[in-house]
Amino acid sequence: MLQMIKMTGKKLPFTKKQIEKIAAHYPTPFHIYDEKGIRENARKFKKAFSMLPGFREYFAVKANPNPFLIKILKEEGFGADCSSYPELMLSESVGIVGENIMFSSNDTPADEFVKARQIGAIINLDDISHIGFLEKNAGMPEVISFRFNPGPARAGNAIIGDPKEAKYGFTRKQLFEGYKMCRQKGAKRFGLHTMVVSNELNPDSFIQTAKMLFEIAVEVKEKLGIKLEFVNLGGGLGIPYRPGEKAIDYGYLAAGIMKEYRKFIPPNGLQPLKVFTECGRIITGPYGFLVTKAIHIKHIYKDYVGTDASMANLMRPGMYKAYHHITVLGKEGRKNDRTYDVTGSLCENNDKFAIDRRLPEIEVGDVLAIHDTGAHGHSMGFNYNGKLRSAEILLREDGSVVQIRRAEAVDDYFATLDFNALKKFRAYNRGC
Ligand code: LLP
C-alpha cells in the first residue's frame, strides 16, 4: 500500500524509506512517476469530458515523451499530440497511429509532414503558407485542421504570451481562405484548433476558448458551406504548483464547454461536431517528482543548498521562474524556519530550483522531492556544462518500480563526436 503524506496541500505518493530503497539501485537524481496517480487522473479526465460529443484527449507528447507513459495513456484511451518527427516515431512505437495522432507543429520541416502523412496523422497546420508546402511535399490529406491565433481578440497568459505577439497560427481571415484552398485541393474533412494560454488555472478561460471556436465553426458553415468535423481546444490546462492553489474542476469545465456547445452547435446544424483536447501538463505533471540529494550547504550572503541535480533535469524554475514545491524527505513535520536558495550545479546563476524558500534545516545527504515534474520536466533537459540527463523511474501501482529510461552516461554525451577524426585533425594556431 502506498502511503500518501499530506504536506501543506502537496502530497507525495512515496515514503522516505521507499525512496531510500529505490535510490540504492538508481542513484539520485531521478524523476519518479506515480502510475496509480496518472491512471486515476486520466480516468477522471476522460469521464468528465465524455459528455462532449466525440471527445478525445490527444496527450501532448512534448510534455513527457516517454513511451512507457504514452503506452499507459493509450491504455486509458488517449491519442497523442505530436510536434516533431521523433514524437511521431514515439507514438508509432506504442501503436498510436492514424487519426489517433494530432500533428500540431509549427515552422514544420518537409520530412515531418511526410512522416505524419505516412502514418495517417491528422495534420493541424500552423500557417496558411503551409498549405502549398504540405501539398508539394506530402500531398493534401483528406482531413486537415488549422491552428487559429485570435491576436488582439484574446489576452493569452504568462508562459505563452500575448496572442498578437505569438508566432503561432492563422489569423481569422486566413482561416476562411485556408479552408477554401484546401477544399479546392481535395480535402474533405476539416478541423479547427487553438491554444491561447499555458498553465492556466481559470477554467472560464477555456470555456471562452471553446465558445470562440464554436462561433467560428458557425461562420465557416455560413460563409463556406463547410461543416467542421472537430474543434481542438489545445492544451494549457494548468496545475496547482503552489500549495493552496485550486486544481481545475474537470466537471465544471466540461459542463461549461457543453453549455456553449448546446448554444451554438445544434441550432446551426453543426452536429456532431467533435471536441478534442491536447493537454500534457494536467495529465502527467502532478504525478512526477525530481528526487535529488543535498550535496553541499553553503553560507555566504545567502544560504544555499547545492543538489546533485541541475537545470539539465528541470529547467522550468530557471526558464520561467516557475514555482516547484520542495519536500525534504523525513522532515515533513518540521518547522520551515530556514530560508534557502536550492541550486543545481550549472555555471548559470538561474540554475536554482527555489529562491528564498522557507524550508526546514537541510543537511548534506538529505533527499529532496521537487514536485510536479511529470510534464515539461525531464523532456526539457539539455546538456549545457556537460551535465547529463537523469533516469526516469515508474512507481507501479503495487509499489514496485521499473526504470523507464536510464540515466545518460558520458558516452552518450560524446556519441556525436568522432575522436578518431580528432586525432587526424590538425589545428592551426592562427594569429594573436
Ligand atoms: N499543444 C500545443 C500545440 C502546444 O504547443 C502545447 C505546449 C501543448 C499542446 C501542451 O500544453 P500543456 O497542456 O502541457 O500545457 N514547456 C512549458 C510550456 C510550453 C508549452 C508549449 N506547448 C512549461 O514548462 O510550462
Side-chain angles (χ1 to χ4, degrees), residues 57-64 81-83 103-106 124 126 147 159-160 168 193-195 197-200 206 232-238 241 277-284 314-316 319-320 322 324 375-377 379-380:
E57 151 70 3
Y58 294 81
F59 173 64
V61 171
K62 66 173 78 70
N64 198 324
D81 158 47
C82 300
S83 62
F103 186 55
S104 292
S105 58
N106 70 91
N124 183 32
D126 183 68
R147 177 174 185 161
I159 293 179
I160 214 161
Y168 308 111
H193 164 278
T194 199
M195 174 149 170
V197 287
S198 184
N199 190 35
E200 178 59 61
F206 297 97
N232 178 348
L233 306 178
L237 296 187
Y241 285 100
T277 53
E278 51 183 35
C279 296
R281 188 187 321 266
I282 205 165
I283 305 301
T284 53
L314 180 66
M315 199 178 181
R316 302 192 72 259
M319 185 163 173
Y320 311 117
H324 279 259
H376 309 291
S379 61
M380 290 174 72

Side-chain angles (χ1 to χ4, degrees), residues 143-188:
V143 54
I144 194 82
S145 173
F146 302 149
R147 177 174 185 161
F148 172 48
N149 180 336
R154 292 295 295 275
N157 76 348
I159 293 179
I160 214 161
D162 177 355
K164 66 180 185 306
E165 295 291 333
K167 64 173 177 165
Y168 308 111
F170 289 52
T171 65
R172 197 170 171 119
K173 190 162 160 261
Q174 286 173 340
L175 289 177
F176 293 86
E177 288 167 36
Y179 288 127
K180 248 195 292 182
M181 279 167 76
C182 286
R183 181 170 54 187
Q184 270 163 16
K185 293 176 187 297
K188 303 250 176 313

Side-chain angles (χ1 to χ4, degrees), residues 33-295:
Y33 306 119
D34 169 21
E35 179 176 358
K36 183 165 180 273
I38 291 174
R39 283 191 188 274
E40 284 176 0
N41 176 52
R43 285 172 199 164
K44 253 177 59 192
F45 189 88
K46 203 175 149 198
K47 195 166 165 222
F49 287 94
S50 63
M51 71 164 70
L52 300 167
F55 177 75
R56 173 136 248 214
E57 151 70 3
Y58 294 81
F59 173 64
V61 171
K62 66 173 78 70
N64 198 324
N66 189 300
F68 290 76
L69 298 188
I70 303 168
K71 195 168 186 180
I72 288 172
L73 293 171
K74 180 186 178 223
E75 279 177 15
E76 298 300 337
F78 290 3
D81 158 47
C82 300
S83 62
S84 67
Y85 200 110
E87 288 184 5
L88 289 167
M89 288 174 73
L90 277 171
S91 300
E92 205 180 6
S93 76
V94 301
I96 302 182
V97 290
E99 294 186 12
N100 292 323
I101 300 180
M102 185 69 62
F103 186 55
S104 292
S105 58
N106 70 91
D107 195 13
T108 314
D111 65 325
E112 299 196 353
F113 279 137
V114 171
K115 178 72 184 170
R117 287 280 280 127
Q118 184 210 327
I119 60 177
I122 299 176
I123 294 178
N124 183 32
L125 293 182
D126 183 68
D127 186 49
I128 193 160
S129 72
H130 293 189
I131 294 172
F133 185 81
L134 171 69
E135 188 189 32
K136 183 168 144 239
N137 291 289
M140 179 54 58
E142 181 189 297
V143 54
I144 194 82
S145 173
F146 302 149
R147 177 174 185 161
F148 172 48
N149 180 336
R154 292 295 295 275
N157 76 348
I159 293 179
I160 214 161
D162 177 355
K164 66 180 185 306
E165 295 291 333
K167 64 173 177 165
Y168 308 111
F170 289 52
T171 65
R172 197 170 171 119
K173 190 162 160 261
Q174 286 173 340
L175 289 177
F176 293 86
E177 288 167 36
Y179 288 127
K180 248 195 292 182
M181 279 167 76
C182 286
R183 181 170 54 187
Q184 270 163 16
K185 293 176 187 297
K188 303 250 176 313
R189 297 157 53 209
F190 302 91
L192 173 63
H193 164 278
T194 199
M195 174 149 170
V196 278
V197 287
S198 184
N199 190 35
E200 178 59 61
L201 280 170
N202 177 5
D204 294 332
S205 152
F206 297 97
I207 297 170
Q208 275 302 103
T209 296
K211 177 173 180 258
M212 174 181 83
L213 295 186
F214 297 152
E215 281 171 347
I216 295 174
V218 171
E219 207 180 318
V220 169
K221 184 176 173 233
E222 280 167 2
K223 291 206 171 128
L224 305 175
I226 290 176
K227 270 177 77 172
L228 295 186
E229 183 172 315
F230 64 85
V231 295
N232 178 348
L233 306 178
L237 296 187
I239 58 171
Y241 285 100
R242 289 174 186 272
E245 279 179 339
K246 204 168 155 262
I248 288 178
D249 178 339
Y250 297 161
Y252 173 89
L253 176 55
I257 296 171
M258 194 57 212
K259 200 170 150 208
E260 297 300 330
Y261 188 98
R262 282 202 198 94
K263 261 194 244 165
F264 289 95
I265 304 308
N268 288 291
L270 279 166
Q271 261 170 320
L273 177 81
K274 296 181 210 161
V275 179
F276 299 153
T277 53
E278 51 183 35
C279 296
R281 188 187 321 266
I282 205 165
I283 305 301
T284 53
Y287 311 102
F289 303 83
L290 173 60
V291 176
T292 177
K293 200 175 266 173
I295 56 171

